[in-house]
Amino acid sequence: MKARAAIHRDFRISRIDDRLYSAFIEHMGRAIYSGIYEPGHPHADHRGFRQDVLGLVRDLDVPAIRYPGGNFVSAYDWKDGIGPKTERPVRLDLAWRSRETNQVGINEFAEWAGEAGIEMMLAVNLGTGTLQDAREFMEYVNHPSGTTWSDLRRSHGVEQPYGVKMWCLGNEMDGPWQIGHRTARDYGRVANQTAKALKALDPSIETIVCGSSNDEMPTYPDWEREVLEECYENVDYISLHKYFGNNSRDTLNYFGKIEQTGRYIQAIAGTIDHVKAKKRAKNDIFICFDEWNVWYHSRAEDKARVKAWDWPEAPSLLEETYNFEDALFVAGLLNEFIRRSDRVKIACIAQLVNVIAPIRAERGGPAWRQTIYWPYQMASLYGRGDALAVQVDAPRYDCRVADDVSYLDIAVTHDAAAGMLTIFALNRHLTEAADLDVEMAGFNARRVALHRVMEGHDLQATNSAEAPDRIAPADGSGAALDDGRLRARLGPLSYHVIRLE
Ligand code: AHR
């Protein structure tokens, strides 16, 4: 099939916020314990941080990380995780029916994030927690000295405040499963007062209010409208969450969920605009898509296991094994985030290690990259700068979740400082190759600096400890510049990252 696209140097969608490639990690399963932290592991340092995992994390160039939950945060007391480790309480984690030893708390996590070169984005407990708890947490984390909480931090060996800028006001408060679940109005008021208090303490922070847990919630999208009506002036972002799957084994429909996500983003952007107009507000609110990923392979079994088990410590949980099809899906979803970077400023892959994650780390054993690691890494490394508008002319298809879906899914970024134009192209066609022809106006690209491709694998193929590199990008061939045009052949079900300079 023929797939034509056109870009122009001056037709920018937006400057991409680097935080579009952020991540999320929660105290659940083996994300923290035996994920990033495993004292005694052959690759652990003297503090218990796994250096093999840290290396894989660093290679992703993750800008920010949301912590400590997730559902976990809604019954978590941050004070349990500070002070001498031997004196920390063991608690029952109500979200995942597990035992929390509190051997990792805010200071250990901050140390790990610092070494990984990642900025922290902290969530406060608005389930069982109060405004007072949130305020004390922030004082401990961000205030320099001279108060009870800041001096307590200093007595714990952390002289300088962390200066955390991003604060999430609870988690998924629309979900009936959430400990402390509230109605939209109730939550909106609590979020407003909490945001006000936190900003009084440190006016330089940004607050993130909970949107819907997904676009199939019965309260969506009224939830967003009602919450924002209560707190618009005191928040900076509204969070969106969505997890994806292909239970029906319908690849084209699965890929159509990328378009469906675009509608979700559009609906929330419209809701923000509606409330802004209604309130005659001056400030803008952006979207923080702070939980996204594929989650379906082991979801049903995990749910049953959690129900049945007896409060285990760091159990295997939500350890999805991703296949090649999932990698293609993630590539397309990241393209959608780039295309909507005018409204989506922060997005977090959920999660980072072991739990629905691009990195798997065996207890006492090796760490390796799942299939989805690769598109996430390439978007994070190369998808910086400006997002450009792309005019696409390619064959289209209809599916259950969306109509008129282009077989060519494409996003283009321009990093003027680095002099790089990057094309992220996914051919969703099951059987046909696409002859891609991109017209590039206003550029003077001289050469193809990089061409990486993921193609030719069985859609069900996965990586594993025994075969960690089965699915990985390879060097592509045949992409050529010709009189201001880029031409490339995209095999069926393939993903290409082509950089021009
Ligand atoms: O990421 C796993 C869980 O998914 C999170 O704890 C929760 O916020 C969401 O429902």
Side-chain angles (χ1 to χ4, degrees):
M1 70 182 169
K2 298 251 175 285
R4 294 193 325 117
I7 55 171
H8 189 292
R9 188 188 183 99
D10 295 336
F11 295 170
R12 292 185 331 151
I13 296 170
S14 173
R15 178 91 194 154
I16 296 168
D17 190 317
D18 286 348
R19 296 172 300 175
L20 198 65
Y21 309 110
S22 299
F24 164 50
I25 196 163
E26 176 168 6
H27 279 250
M28 67 173 289
R30 299 191 311 108
I32 301 287
Y33 304 112
S34 80
I36 65 168
Y37 174 84
E38 190 179 347
H41 186 281
H43 292 298
D45 68 6
H46 64 284
R47 295 152 307 177
F49 297 141
R50 284 185 61 160
Q51 299 300 301
D52 52 346
V53 174
L54 198 60
L56 293 176
V57 170
R58 281 202 192 106
D59 288 348
L60 288 168
D61 199 7
V62 179
I65 188 156
R66 178 169 171 256
Y67 172 86
N71 295 339
F72 170 78
V73 79
S74 294
Y76 173 58
D77 187 347
W78 68 272
K79 293 170 192 130
D80 291 342
I82 56 176
K85 283 188 175 182
T86 49
E87 291 168 26
R88 294 186 193 173
V90 174
R91 302 279 190 206
L92 297 180
D93 159 20
L94 302 183
W96 305 106
R97 287 179 56 80
S98 310
R99 220 155 5 108
E100 171 58 52
T101 61
N102 285 303
Q103 293 305 289
V104 171
I106 179 62
N107 292 320
E108 290 77 24
F109 186 72
E111 200 170 4
W112 179 86
E115 287 198 17
I118 310 180
E119 185 179 351
M120 287 192 292
M121 172 176 171
L122 296 179
V124 301
N125 172 357
L126 290 186
T128 60
T130 61
L131 189 159
Q132 181 69 9
D133 295 326
R135 169 251 160 108
E136 290 171 355
F137 184 28
M138 187 163 167
E139 196 171 316
Y140 181 91
V141 169
N142 273 9
H143 196 70
S145 64
T147 67
T148 304
W149 292 106
S150 56
D151 286 343
L152 183 62
R153 182 199 69 239
R154 293 171 65 229
S155 79
H156 292 153
V158 184
E159 185 62 33
Q160 297 302 322
Y162 294 116
V164 173
K165 291 290 171 234
M166 290 169 277
W167 290 82
C168 304
L169 306 165
N171 177 69
E172 292 189 348
M173 300 306 294
D174 63 323
W177 59 86
Q178 200 69 217
I179 304 292
H181 158 65
R182 297 170 188 268
T183 63
R185 291 277 167 213
D186 187 18
Y187 168 65
R189 283 182 205 120
V190 171
N192 189 40
Q193 294 308 321
T194 308
K196 205 170 73 182
L198 295 184
K199 285 190 169 182
L201 216 147
D202 181 350
S204 73
I205 64 155
E206 296 183 318
T207 53
I208 300 143
V209 72
C210 296
S212 296
S213 300
N214 59 68
D215 54 351
E216 281 161 32
M217 295 298 290
T219 46
Y220 165 84
D222 286 331
W223 171 273
E224 280 79 356
R225 179 181 53 77
E226 291 180 30
V227 166
L228 288 179
E229 280 172 2
E230 297 296 334
C231 65
Y232 191 94
E233 289 82 357
N234 286 313
V235 303
D236 302 281
Y237 301 89
I238 183 157
S239 83
L240 268 65
H241 291 181
K242 192 167 169 71
Y243 291 97
F244 303 87
N246 183 17
N247 278 314
S248 57
R249 292 259 178 151
D250 178 343
T251 301
L252 288 180
N253 189 61
Y254 186 29
F255 293 161
K257 292 179 184 181
I258 296 162
E259 267 58 29
Q260 192 186 36
T261 307
R263 294 203 303 269
Y264 184 20
I265 292 168
Q266 187 59 34
I268 300 307
T271 305
I272 294 169
D273 293 346
H274 170 86
V275 178
K276 178 177 179 179
K278 194 166 168 182
K279 292 199 151 228
R280 277 69 172 155
K282 281 204 290 195
N283 61 310
D284 286 316
I285 289 183
F286 292 98
I287 291 170
C288 172
F289 213 123
D290 55 26
E291 284 188 36
W292 67 264
N293 206 348
V294 174
W295 176 11
Y296 80 102
H297 296 284
S298 60
R299 195 166 182 151
E301 299 94 276
D302 276 330
K303 203 170 170 191
R305 286 170 58 237
V306 173
K307 251 190 184 160
W309 70 29
D310 188 21
W311 306 94
E313 186 184 318
S316 295
L317 180 59
L318 273 55
E319 294 193 7
E320 293 267 294
T321 298
Y322 294 113
N323 59 30
F324 177 54
E325 185 183 54
D326 299 327
L328 296 177
F329 175 83
V330 163
L333 192 67
L334 285 158
N335 278 355
E336 186 64 24
F337 291 152
I338 292 171
R339 290 189 290 261
R340 294 320 316 258
S341 56
D342 54 336
R343 306 304 293 252
V344 182
K345 295 296 172 191
I346 309 173
C348 304
I349 188 170
Q351 299 188 13
L352 189 60
V353 182
N354 283 335
V355 173
I356 38 176
I359 298 168
R360 178 71 69 76
E362 313 238 311
R363 204 188 296 270
W368 39 277
R369 302 172 189 86
Q370 296 235 47
T371 62
I372 62 168
Y373 181 97
W374 297 111
Y376 174 46
Q377 186 201 42
M378 289 193 281
S380 174
L381 296 186
Y382 309 133
R384 312 275 176 136
D386 292 329
L388 297 184
V390 191
Q391 186 65 38
V392 178
D393 179 11
R396 295 173 169 269
Y397 68 92
D398 292 347
C399 60
R400 265 180 296 122
V401 298
D403 285 339
D404 209 26
V405 179
S406 168
Y407 281 107
L408 172 68
D409 181 313
I410 184 166
V412 180
T413 61
H414 179 220
D415 187 342
M420 283 285 178
L421 187 66
T422 305
I423 293 162
F424 300 90
L426 169 68
N427 178 8
R428 307 188 233 205
H429 204 289
L430 303 182
T431 53
E432 279 185 40
D435 287 317
L436 178 67
D437 176 359
V438 187
E439 186 183 337
M440 302 175 297
F443 294 98
N444 198 12
R446 284 168 287 112
R447 67 178 195 108
V448 175
L450 177 112
H451 181 183
R452 301 289 281 164
V453 59
M454 296 181 77
E455 70 178 342
H457 302 286
D458 178 344
L459 286 179
Q460 303 306 317
T462 59
N463 289 344
S464 64
E466 296 70 39
D469 302 318
R470 186 184 291 131
I471 307 290
D475 283 335
S477 62
L481 284 167
D482 174 17
D483 195 22
R485 309 180 89 90
L486 170 76
R487 296 209 167 85
R489 190 168 171 82
L490 318 179
L493 295 170
S494 69
Y495 173 57
H496 299 248
V497 177
I498 302 172
R499 305 200 83 198
L500 309 175
E501 69 176 355

